[in-house]
Amino acid sequence: AGALLFVAAAASLPLWVRALGVGLRFRVTFLAWIAWLSSFAVVDGLHLEQITLLVVFFMAASMAALARGRLVVAAVLLAMATVKPHLVVLVVAFLLVWTMGDWRSRRGFAIAFGCVMAALLASSELVLPGWFQFWRQAAQAFVGYHRPSLLQSVFGRTGAMVVAGGAIALCGMMFWRFRKEPCGSRPFNYALVVALALTMLCLPTAAGANYNQAILLPAAVWLFTPGRSLAKGGLARLMWVMAVNTLAWEWILALPVSFAAFALQHRFEREATWFVAGPELVTFLFPLALALFLLCVAPQVLRSRVGRAPS
């Protein structure tokens, strides 16, 4: 299982680079690949053998297929990523809204996704009758015994519900506004990154399950490519620097943990030391800094969309 997850993680980066349509030289891609595989999220996922890394791969493969116009393949791969539905629900919502922007040419994606999901749900019911009730009970228990979300850690339970509700509503409006954008365009990629960042902020385990931050891989790639060009000074530039620094320090502080885990075979169960807490603290901060940067550059993205002639 560990070898499969490692291969999935390794393949995810070039797939996301292709999906986002960013041109990276081989040397830059190689360095990014090394940084990705030694990041705290990947190390944590490999250490715990978490299928989150497989979900990241399926999402990356799906988006890469979508960028090449293979709608049915993209839909099948995205449906496979729903093995952890809470990680992909906003991405699925965005892409289904996106299909409405040009239903005639994109309907294959929505139809294929619906058919594959129906087949998966039906086969699950055949294998384990009444599974949905069991899943619902497990999901309720999951929320109950895990740590609160990042939003709840910052705003409290009531405040987090208000902020999350407002953010999801704004996301829905943005998805509709960008529904006609081609895959790989600046607004499309921005909406995709926003969906992933908001997912990370709202996850009930966001402040504890560090491996879930692997879903922010495309956000990190975007941050250093189109995101860098959007940081044109002022508050946007400050937020970009903050996001980049938290991401960099997350990786720097994770290096000794990675070395201890894999080279020295050290086990970290129930270890509450600064050696472990350092990268975890920065991991907590990165999604927040990323979200602030996304808010700062939202007017630029919207203006660039408005300034173009309608398709």
Side-chain angles (χ1 to χ4, degrees), residues 11 20 42 87 97 119 144 151 163 169 173 176 230 266 278 292 309:
L20 295 174
V42 173
L87 297 181
V97 172
L151 285 181
V163 172
M173 296 170 61
W176 183 256
L230 291 171
H266 182 79
L292 291 174

Side-chain angles (χ1 to χ4, degrees), residues 10-32:
S12 296
L13 177 61
L15 287 171
W16 274 120
V17 169
R18 178 177 298 179
L20 295 174
V22 295
L24 297 180
R25 290 175 295 179
F26 174 78
R27 182 175 62 180
V28 175
T29 302
F30 180 75
L31 292 175

Side-chain angles (χ1 to χ4, degrees), residues 169-217:
L170 290 174
C171 264
M173 296 170 61
M174 179 186 65
F175 293 166
W176 183 256
R177 188 181 184 91
F178 292 161
R179 70 191 184 280
K180 295 183 180 295
E181 297 294 331
C183 181
S185 65
R186 173 177 284 190
F188 181 95
N189 289 343
Y190 176 81
L192 179 64
V193 170
V194 168
L196 292 170
L198 184 56
T199 297
M200 196 64 219
L201 292 176
C202 294
L203 284 177
T205 57
N210 301 299
Y211 49 80
N212 280 337
Q213 277 210 25
I215 70 171
L216 294 182
L217 170 60

